[in-house]
Amino acid sequence: MEPPKDAIYYEQLAKIARKKASLSDDRAVSIRLREAAIRHERQARKLRREESKAY
């Protein structure tokens, strides 16, 4: 069973994806990595909202 993932986890994934995208020479790969970073950032924001509602 996987441990629950929090907003920090997804923020770090987004940061890594953006860094890899900037280092990539392949345009298609960099676009896909940037799209993944956007998805991770959205998930992090969603989790932050849910955490703030819980308190």
Side-chain angles (χ1 to χ4, degrees), residues 1-35:
M1 188 167 157
E2 268 186 44
K5 295 177 174 70
D6 60 354
I8 295 170
Y9 174 80
Y10 287 102
E11 289 168 352
Q12 291 297 319
L13 282 179
K15 182 179 177 181
I16 292 167
R18 287 196 185 278
K19 183 181 260 188
K20 287 185 177 184
S22 68
L23 296 174
S24 177
D25 294 331
D26 188 354
R27 181 167 163 77
V29 171
S30 65
I31 289 171
R32 297 283 297 191
L33 286 168
R34 287 188 199 337
E35 290 170 350

